[in-house]
Amino acid sequence: MLRTALRNVLAHKARLMMTVLAVMLGVAFVAGTLVFTDTLGNAFKNQSAKGYDKIAVVVESPPEDNLSDETLKKIQGAPQVDRATGRVEGFAGVADQDGKLIGNGWANAGGNFAPGKDGKDADYDFTQGNGPAKADEIALDKETAKKGEYQVGDTVRVATNGPVKEYTLTGVFTTEDGAVNAGGSLVLFDTAVAQQLYLKPGQFETIKVTAKDGASDSAVLSAVQPLLPKDSIAETGTQLADEEADMIKREMNGMSMMLLSFAGIALFVGIFLIANTFTMLVAQRTRELALMRAVGASRRQVKRSVILEALLVGVIASAVGFVLGLGLAVGLRSLVGSFGAKIPNGPLVISPAAILAALAVGVVVTVLAAWLPARRAAKIPPVAAMSSVHAVASAKSLLVRNVIGALLTAGGAGLIAAGAGTSDGTTGRYMIASGAFLALIGVIVLIPQLSRPLIALVRPLLHGVFGVAGKLAGQNAVRNPRRTGATASALAIGLTLVTGLTVIGVTVGQAIDKSTTDNIRADYLVTMANGEPLDASAVTALRKAKGLEAISPRQNASFELKGSHTSVSGIDPKGVQEVFKLKTVSGSLNTLADGQLAITDKVAEKKDLKAGDRIPVTFEHDGKKTEQTLTVGAVFAENEMVASYLLDAKVIAPFEEKPTIPEVWVKMAGGETKANEQALVDALGDNPAMSVMDKQDIRNLFGGMINTMLNIMYGLLAMALIIAVLGVVNTLAMSVFERQQEIGMLRAIGLDRRRVKRMIRLEAVVISLFGAVIGIALGAFLGWAIGETFRESIPGYELVLPWARIGIFLLLAGVVGVLAAMWPARSAARLNMLTAIKTE
């Protein structure tokens, strides 16, 4: 039986090629993901360990305070300590030659140059010049200097959270700092300057301690701890390296699980292709298998023979797929680097677990997919060797299949509907996920039964438009419903996921876009590029902008109301109504200028408040609580762009040491123009760290992430759709092979080559569109259900069916059918009539 299995694999190389490709792609995705995450995790772990290699102890400041210069000197005087270095960190953005920010904002960092007695800072290796020693000097990391085309001696514009300043570049250094590796930048200031910018003179955030020769990390830790202020944290470098390694591992696990889930989808789709292939191979070998039974082979031996063929195919495909996966891992590493993130150098990590997992997945999936065809092969009676007629499914087996499919589909649909209607969004999404799995399996079981009535709807159109070729294509598409169903299932799964994601993404995106358009009057939004609060000086500068019509900064604050912590936004009473569309329900928003409070209608209903009510609140500042009574001056309709409580910023000012202003909304005379935008940029001192966004930028800010995620998902799901295309190609190729005699007869009675090709192409298009329609319908249903679970958290949420994109999906499905039919159609048209007629 082993020799028979080997002979059959070699005899059907072309027919098994599609199966090999499907398994190979799925395994490549699994292997690439495992190797990529292992490589990335190992590289970052080594980098982390390298960063703490010479560090014995790291001291972190208490939560509400900083480490003093006095504490630093005490640590430096400890007997086991060789060196103690105080560190200061904060935001620093570097402008390029065009005044644009270098880096991505959130990873642009500033720090202090802390030289030892030798004049060097052990954390940085200078390739040019040296560290800053004066207030107007800085040093840059090598990548930032290269991007900005800066040389030692050049003047560099640097922005922190305050106004932009100019510095002289004294040196360029290399570093393994996390900010630089994340695609950002690192600016080193003189220590006194860094303290002035980020903390207070004589203060540090952390102190890094190195040990004298012979002193252990634990001994240094024991010596340092008694010298530290209360609530400060001290850990050894080894402990911190291990903690960072664990954090990296957790982050890599999240990425790995996401990528592996898409690999699982690809392999799940591949199961249908594999099962279809072996089903057709078994059907074509009915006589052969029956003769084997007739000459003494047992059912177990026949079944074992087919499974052995699948095992051989799985091993070969998995081995090739693993090699491709290594290439994919290298490609993913380069792709991450192309987005600006610097991946630490390190070898490609190929762990035994990754090898075994990838190979096991490929082999197990192939064998499982072939099990049912093998079982059918074992049931072929010896008498079948006397006939060329393939055994057909019994009425009983079809009835059982349809009943099971109907029950699974109904149960899944019920769970999905119940999940959409539940009040707990998280529970609802779990229910929908379970229901989606059941419904998908049920539809897959039912799909052969669905093929006849659905395809029957388009058969008159095929006949009317394409004549005999169209009529034959429609008949061929439903001749073997199981084969058609299995082929269409692969496309249906892929398009279910794609359509579901698209419905959710488009609906959420439109709701966000609508809330942006309907709720703001402002022309521009000003924020810091790193997401940190703006300095109050930025608001003062904007008020002087040429053409300014209205301005309202949004200041974050809080007070205690009825025993609960409540967030409130400090605003400009004059400008808030000019930059936002606020609909008054009762009272007057003009009372904001009198120090009164404005609340949303939802808050008024929940707290049982109305205009004119007086409510006691408690402000807290420097540990002291101050009670005040505020009057509710206005109730306004909820607006997603503002907080539920609004108060004049002047009322909040006495209780805030430094205002926290995340954003400023601006309205300009003449609306959005290049001149007005430039006026704001000029008012801010051409600060590269401050972002001036127009209305389209604001829409992109809130909705752009949705489109980005959708594009990533489309790219990852492309693997499943590629395998689905292979399934269509495989089915048509097998179909042409089985119908050689029939095609030869059609050619003999006058069907020319052109119409033979058209017949095969139309058959492929019909099958592809059938799968697409099923997938789109199920995907739209899932998209609606998932959307219902977070409807309440997204104001203005209304289901949107993206008909244009659905039309594109259908068009692409048709194109898939045409492309998949190219080789089978060409093979069918080139058949020799006489040879084909004689084929059994």
Side-chain angles (χ1 to χ4, degrees), residues 47-56 58 208 237-238 240-241 244:
Q47 181 194 52
S48 175
K50 183 180 178 182
Y52 292 104
D53 187 31
K54 297 178 182 179
I55 303 297
V58 175
K208 294 184 178 180
T238 304
L240 286 170
E244 283 197 14

Side-chain angles (χ1 to χ4, degrees), residues 331-501:
L332 284 171
R333 186 169 178 169
S334 300
L335 182 64
V336 171
S338 69
F339 285 115
K342 181 183 175 185
I343 306 300
N345 293 325
L348 202 65
V349 178
I350 307 173
S351 65
I355 297 172
L356 292 174
L359 295 179
V361 163
V363 172
V364 169
V365 165
T366 309
V367 170
L368 284 176
W371 179 80
L372 194 58
R375 188 168 172 269
R376 289 179 186 152
K379 290 184 176 182
I380 296 175
V383 73
M386 306 301 295
S387 171
S388 63
V389 179
H390 300 165
V392 295
S394 65
K396 180 181 178 182
S397 68
L398 290 174
L399 177 62
V400 170
R401 178 186 179 122
N402 293 336
V403 169
I404 292 173
L407 290 174
L408 287 172
T409 305
L415 265 177
I416 293 170
T422 187
S423 58
D424 184 349
T426 303
T427 303
R429 285 188 281 276
Y430 279 120
M431 291 173 67
I432 290 170
S434 303
F437 180 76
L438 288 177
L440 199 57
I441 297 298
V443 168
I444 289 167
V445 173
L446 277 177
I447 212 167
Q449 184 68 20
L450 295 172
S451 64
R452 289 185 181 276
L454 288 178
I455 293 177
L457 295 175
V458 298
R459 281 171 64 180
L461 179 65
L462 290 172
H463 188 194
V465 177
F466 300 103
V468 174
K471 181 178 181 180
L472 291 171
Q475 291 174 344
N476 291 334
V478 294
R479 177 181 294 184
N480 190 330
R482 284 187 171 179
R483 182 186 301 170
T484 298
T487 305
S489 294
L491 274 172
I493 294 168
L495 281 171
T496 294
L497 298 170
V498 169
T499 305
L501 288 170

